[in-house]
């Protein structure tokens, strides 16, 4: 028997790639099955139309907060009181924080829950720039408003 000292006849490692390819194919199939299930669009909740319209007197909620953006001046009002402009929405944020703090201290909660009523509606004509509306929404979010609704009636002002 001859002995070699060069090491050329030593054991060489072999990587078996068949199990790796099998795992890869299984992952590919899983991702192909899951991909149609993921949500791909924004879901908006639109109220259903009433079946019958009756003359029912609806009383406005005294806790409703409506933020209005003026078309020409871009002035922001909170329930018809001045609250800054679309460029400087910090007065709006401060007023909303004061209102929410007062509601928390007085125990003003949403009906049927123990959460403080922080719902606001933003009303703006179509001619107001999108960026201005977003600035007002951001200011309301910074004050802690939730949920924020966009009022779509009377947009022709």
């Amino acid at each position: 028997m001859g002995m070699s000292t060069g090491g050329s006849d030593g054991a060489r490692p072999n990587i078996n790639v068949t199990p790796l390819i099998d795992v890869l194919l299984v992952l590919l199939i899983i991702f192909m099955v899951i991909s149609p299930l993921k949500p791909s669009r924004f879901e908006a909740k639109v109220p259903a139309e009433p079946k019958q319209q009756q003359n029912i007197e609806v009383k406005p909620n005294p806790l409703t907060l409506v933020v209005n953006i003026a078309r020409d001046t871009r002035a922001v009002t909170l329930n018809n009181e001045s609250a800054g402009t679309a460029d400087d929405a910090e007065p709006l944020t401060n007023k909303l924080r004061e209102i929410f703090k007062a509601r928390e201290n007085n125990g003003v909660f949403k009906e049927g829950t123990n959460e403080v009523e922080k719902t606001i509606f933003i009303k703006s004509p179509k001619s107001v720039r999108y960026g201005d509306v977003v600035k007002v929404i951001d200011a309301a979010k910074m004050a802690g408003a939730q949920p924020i609704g966009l009022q779509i009636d009377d947009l022709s002002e």
Side-chain angles (χ1 to χ4, degrees):
M1 242 167 101
M3 297 191 101
S4 65
T5 56
S8 62
D9 292 335
R12 291 189 344 211
N14 284 336
I15 297 176
N16 189 2
V17 294
T18 305
L20 294 176
I21 292 174
D22 290 344
V23 170
L24 181 67
L25 289 175
V26 169
L27 287 175
L28 180 66
I29 291 170
I30 290 172
F31 286 130
M32 288 173 60
V33 170
I34 290 176
S35 64
L37 299 178
K38 69 178 182 176
S40 60
R41 64 183 96 165
F42 179 72
E43 181 179 330
K45 296 179 182 177
V46 179
E49 292 185 31
K51 294 179 182 176
Q52 297 177 358
Q53 283 216 323
Q54 300 174 351
N55 292 335
I56 301 172
E57 187 175 329
V58 178
K59 295 180 182 178
N61 186 352
L63 302 176
T64 301
L65 297 173
V66 178
V67 177
N68 193 6
I69 304 172
R71 178 190 336 170
D72 300 329
T73 61
R74 296 176 24 207
V76 176
T77 57
L78 174 63
N79 288 353
N80 297 325
E81 295 179 14
S82 178
T85 64
D87 292 326
D88 181 27
E90 190 169 333
L92 173 65
T93 304
N94 294 336
K95 282 189 177 188
L96 287 173
R97 281 187 183 143
E98 290 172 12
I99 291 170
F100 296 152
K101 187 69 171 174
R103 287 182 178 181
E104 186 176 334
N105 293 339
N106 296 334
V108 179
F109 299 116
K110 290 182 183 179
E111 189 175 323
T113 65
N114 54 352
E115 291 180 23
V116 176
E117 178 65 54
K118 294 183 178 182
T119 303
I120 70 164
F121 296 96
I122 297 178
K123 182 178 174 182
S124 172
K126 290 181 182 178
S127 60
V128 174
R129 289 186 3 213
Y130 176 75
D132 293 338
V133 176
V134 170
K135 287 178 187 177
V136 173
I137 292 172
D138 287 343
K141 282 185 179 180
M142 285 177 44
Q146 180 188 6
I148 298 173
L150 298 176
Q151 192 170 357
I152 59 171
D153 56 337
D154 298 333
L155 291 178
S156 60
E157 291 179 355

